Amino acid sequence: MSEYEYRLGELFCGPGGMALGAHFAADEVPNVNVQHEWASDYDQPTVDTYIHNIPRATPNSVPVEDVRDLDISKLGDIDGFAFGFPCNDFSVVGEHRGLHGTYGPLFQYGVNVLEQKQPKWFVAENVGGLAGANGGEAFRHILLSMKDAGYVPVVHKYRFEKYGVPQARHRIIVVGIRDDLHKDGIIFEVPDPAIAEYVPETSRQAITVPEIPADAFNHEFTRQSANVRRRLELIAPGQNAFTADLPEELQLNVKGARLSQIYKRLDPSKPAYTVTGSGGGGTHVYHWSDPRALTNRERARLQTFPDWFEFKGNKESVRKQIGMAVPPRGAKVIFKALFRSLQQLSYPSIEPNLKFPGVQP
């Protein structure tokens, strides 16, 4: 195996956005090869999607299992590790329970992989709200755990729309280099978004160029009720159900949270707002001119999945998979910078926008 061939392991792998981004990056950085070694997720349709689309993935290499029951010792050796641990308790939507919630402590299983497998590097992803969970102590605890496992973490809150993703998706990415490699001069630097490689893309461009074929995968249209259609017809592009001038019978009787995404129509001249996988009616992302929710293929376009990427499962499962995924184009940005760093190749970079004294160099 060459020095720059990396066997990749993943926890909380989702449908494969992170893995796809790693493969795309390897195609663009000389001498790099990425090989799927293993991955895991707890949801069967999600794993079916991963196996169907990610090279070398099989039912044996992608177990469907709750991470709390997964025997890490039986997983193969890896050179690189990726994990987008569940964000429910760190999201800006919800109770912000952080490490005290059901999902917050699950990051530890990723740290367990680092301790047992000692890959050369890792990439971890979570929502922007992670930095403020439990008054910032949750994130500091997570980073210290990564450092204690033998890694130098570099933390940055990426605004993926600045890197050519047609969506305002803001995520914290931690890239860790193993201590011995860092001492040998391998240092990850945050890629600079202000270069010609990253061309801004609007929601209209993403969805319409090229036109989506009628028989494309996951392109089923949703039947909208008469009331929803009437409501959307009165909501201008970029507006939502609370900022539009709606008659009383079409107004929403919502107490408490008045999410800006509820029945919000896309502004075709800008990147989309954040595509999510949770929530009920009113949160499905709405077309700027047609009075309807987007199809799953249109959502997948906003998440930068190629049209050949076929999601498995029923329509609601697919919507959830798309919303929970890491956009492959965003992941590719991180992995290209990482693969260049590992070869000590220079590239335009910026200072990380998140610093934690005592954790980072």
Side-chain angles (χ1 to χ4, degrees), residues 15-309:
M18 191 87 87
L20 199 61
H23 281 86
F24 288 163
D27 291 341
E28 296 185 14
V29 180
N31 307 316
V32 175
N33 186 32
V34 171
Q35 296 283 1
H36 163 82
E37 184 66 26
W38 51 259
S40 182
D41 201 284
Y42 75 100
D43 182 66
Q44 184 67 61
T46 299
V47 169
D48 292 342
T49 297
Y50 189 102
I51 292 170
H52 183 69
N53 292 282
I54 301 304
R56 295 170 55 99
T58 69
N60 288 333
S61 69
V62 192
V64 183
E65 200 160 352
D66 187 313
V67 70
R68 290 165 287 200
D69 301 321
L70 186 66
D71 188 348
I72 294 172
S73 67
K74 293 183 178 179
L75 301 173
D77 292 336
I78 52 176
D79 306 290
F81 178 50
F83 62 117
F85 54 100
C87 62
N88 309 55
D89 291 325
F90 302 116
S91 175
V92 295
V93 179
E95 299 177 17
H96 315 287
R97 289 166 292 186
L99 293 178
H100 304 303
T102 301
Y103 300 99
L106 295 184
F107 84 91
Q108 182 60 48
Y109 293 89
V111 174
N112 293 347
V113 170
L114 296 178
E115 292 173 341
Q116 291 188 37
K117 303 299 182 183
Q118 286 289 293
K120 296 177 179 178
W121 50 262
F122 73 83
V123 178
E125 179 263 357
N126 209 286
V127 293
L130 172 61
N134 302 135
E137 287 307 305
F139 197 22
R140 178 176 293 278
H141 174 70
I142 289 170
L143 292 173
L144 285 172
S145 298
M146 293 169 171
K147 181 180 180 182
D148 290 344
Y151 293 83
V152 177
V154 175
V155 191
H156 189 74
K157 184 176 180 179
Y158 289 80
R159 295 179 177 268
F160 279 132
E161 68 271 25
K162 293 183 178 293
Y163 292 90
V165 175
Q167 180 192 163
R169 198 172 188 90
H170 304 160
R171 292 294 185 267
I172 287 176
I173 305 288
V174 185
V175 177
I177 302 293
R178 203 172 62 199
D179 283 342
D180 60 311
L181 299 177
H182 188 267
K183 289 175 182 175
D184 286 341
I186 295 176
I187 298 172
F188 175 80
E189 296 182 310
V190 177
D192 186 351
I195 61 174
E197 182 177 347
Y198 308 122
V199 180
E201 188 173 13
T202 67
S203 56
R204 184 200 297 272
Q205 289 172 315
I207 290 173
T208 64
V209 183
E211 183 179 350
I212 299 174
D215 61 351
F217 296 128
N218 313 115
H219 195 41
E220 304 88 353
F221 286 77
T222 299
R223 285 187 178 181
Q224 308 288 181
S225 70
N227 269 357
V228 167
R229 290 181 64 87
R230 287 179 59 211
R231 182 180 293 122
L232 289 171
E233 285 168 351
L234 296 171
I235 297 174
Q239 286 190 329
N240 61 52
F242 302 109
T243 57
D245 184 16
L246 298 177
E248 187 174 351
E249 68 270 17
L250 295 178
Q251 293 177 13
L252 299 179
N253 184 21
V254 178
K255 295 182 179 179
R258 291 162 65 91
L259 298 178
S260 62
Q261 297 98 319
I262 293 181
Y263 290 111
K264 184 173 182 178
R265 303 191 77 168
L266 294 174
D267 182 334
S269 66
K270 298 178 180 179
Y273 55 91
T274 305
V275 177
T276 65
S278 59
T283 61
H284 294 179
V285 188
Y286 295 86
H287 200 274
W288 59 87
S289 61
D290 296 340
R292 62 172 178 84
L294 298 188
T295 70
N296 279 326
R297 179 49 50 191
E298 289 169 331
R299 295 186 190 97
R301 283 271 186 103
L302 296 178
Q303 278 280 61
T304 70
F305 283 93
D307 287 352
W308 57 256
F309 193 101

